[in-house]
Amino acid sequence: MRSETPINVPQHVAIIMDGNGRWANARGLPRTAGHRAGVERVREAVRTAAEADVKYLTLFAFSSENWNRPKQEVSDLMGLLRFFIRRDLAELHRENVRVRVIGCRQSIQPDIKALLVEAEERTRENTGISLVIAFNYGARDEMVRAVREIAEAVKSGDMDPASITETTVAGHIDTAGIPDPDLVIRTSGEQRLSNFLLWQAAYAEFVFMPCLWPDFDRAAFHEALNEFGRRDRRYGAVAAPELAVGS
């Protein structure tokens, strides 16, 4: 019988959680109902990833472009974030999950900023799966902020422009110290990155799932993991030729 979890498990899985609104609309419910259902699915995704021995799970929770949504929907999303952290932080801590947050923290509400800091500080010493929450995150904004930091270092004389390498840039983006994602999953059938981990996903495998995020259950997660396990990752190299018969 085939194992539920593939032998070749990605170290880092990143997920674009798409489709909450469409899930609600299809059921004649307000969009907030879809977001609430999506929050419940986050809990299951963290457990499934941990059980599969994934080391890092990054979730695209709120993009820097999401502020352009209707004010009431943004307010509801902020309320759900508060609810998730206040309700689930203790459980995540008990389960040895380390929480990290990426994204720009300028101009976000002070109480939310405090909750994000609390989540990181409380779980900092945990050694289980790392749950990386991309909040107020946009990859282009991330790279602009990284370039500014590097430029300031050059301006102050602390860095030689000739010494700047890919490693230098990687050390200034939000995910510094976190390995690049091996697998990027997007739900809802859409096939684009939407300004998510543009630098980090350079060699990631992509799996686009037709289901909407609130329907992305344990079985769907394992389907994506098994698809990853079937991929041949060459990082630009040429695959070794098969041995000729009789050789």
Side-chain angles (χ1 to χ4, degrees):
M1 180 178 178
R2 185 175 183 174
S3 172
E4 185 178 23
T5 302
I7 295 174
N8 183 21
V9 177
Q11 178 180 212
H12 183 175
V13 176
I15 304 179
I16 302 172
M17 305 180 293
D18 194 17
N20 290 343
R22 276 168 282 174
W23 183 92
N25 290 339
R27 290 160 176 77
L29 300 171
R31 289 176 62 85
T32 53
H35 294 312
R36 291 191 189 99
V39 167
E40 295 304 315
R41 197 55 78 187
V42 166
R43 304 177 74 190
E44 183 175 8
V46 175
R47 290 194 208 98
T48 303
E51 290 167 0
D53 203 28
V54 172
K55 304 302 183 185
Y56 297 84
L57 176 66
T58 297
L59 301 178
F60 202 2
F62 191 85
S63 78
S64 53
E65 289 80 19
N66 286 158
W67 296 109
N68 297 321
R69 293 187 176 189
K71 289 184 178 179
Q72 186 57 54
E73 183 173 351
V74 171
S75 177
D76 291 338
L77 286 167
M78 294 303 103
L80 283 171
L81 178 65
R82 293 183 182 97
F83 173 73
F84 173 76
I85 294 177
R86 289 168 179 159
R87 182 194 67 177
D88 290 347
L89 181 57
E91 180 180 350
L92 291 170
H93 185 45
R94 283 195 303 272
E95 294 181 357
N96 199 29
V97 176
R98 181 180 180 184
V99 177
R100 297 183 64 171
V101 182
I102 61 174
C104 182
R105 300 194 192 186
Q106 293 180 357
S107 74
I108 64 175
Q109 294 161 298
D111 70 313
I112 290 181
K113 187 182 295 186
L115 284 172
L116 298 177
V117 171
E118 178 188 357
E120 290 185 309
E121 291 299 324
R122 188 170 178 182
T123 63
R124 186 174 298 278
E125 301 303 320
N126 290 348
T127 58
I129 186 172
S130 288
L131 172 61
V132 184
I133 300 173
F135 176 77
N136 194 25
Y137 174 86
R140 288 184 174 182
D141 172 73
E142 171 189 40
M143 285 190 268
V144 168
R145 289 186 280 110
V147 169
R148 284 176 180 160
E149 288 182 8
I150 294 170
E152 288 294 333
V154 170
K155 182 179 178 180
S156 66
D158 294 330
M159 185 179 297
D160 179 0
S163 71
I164 297 173
T165 64
E166 289 186 13
T167 301
T168 308
V169 176
H172 284 81
I173 57 179
D174 293 354
T175 54
I178 299 173
D180 290 343
D182 305 290
L183 169 63
V184 175
I185 301 169
R186 180 166 187 154
T187 58
S188 85
E190 303 291 350
Q191 299 185 16
R192 57 181 179 269
L193 273 175
S194 295
N195 201 19
F196 181 54
L197 301 181
L198 299 180
W199 174 279
Q200 299 89 335
Y203 285 100
E205 296 294 322
F206 294 88
V207 173
F208 300 106
M209 304 293 291
C211 61
L212 302 174
W213 174 248
D215 295 324
F216 185 78
D217 57 12
R218 179 188 179 90
F221 203 149
H222 279 281
E223 181 182 342
L225 292 175
N226 279 309
E227 173 59 30
F228 173 84
R230 291 189 287 270
R231 302 282 179 88
D232 179 16
R233 305 182 75 203
R234 298 191 295 273
Y235 301 97
V238 177
E242 296 182 2
L243 293 175
V245 176
S247 61

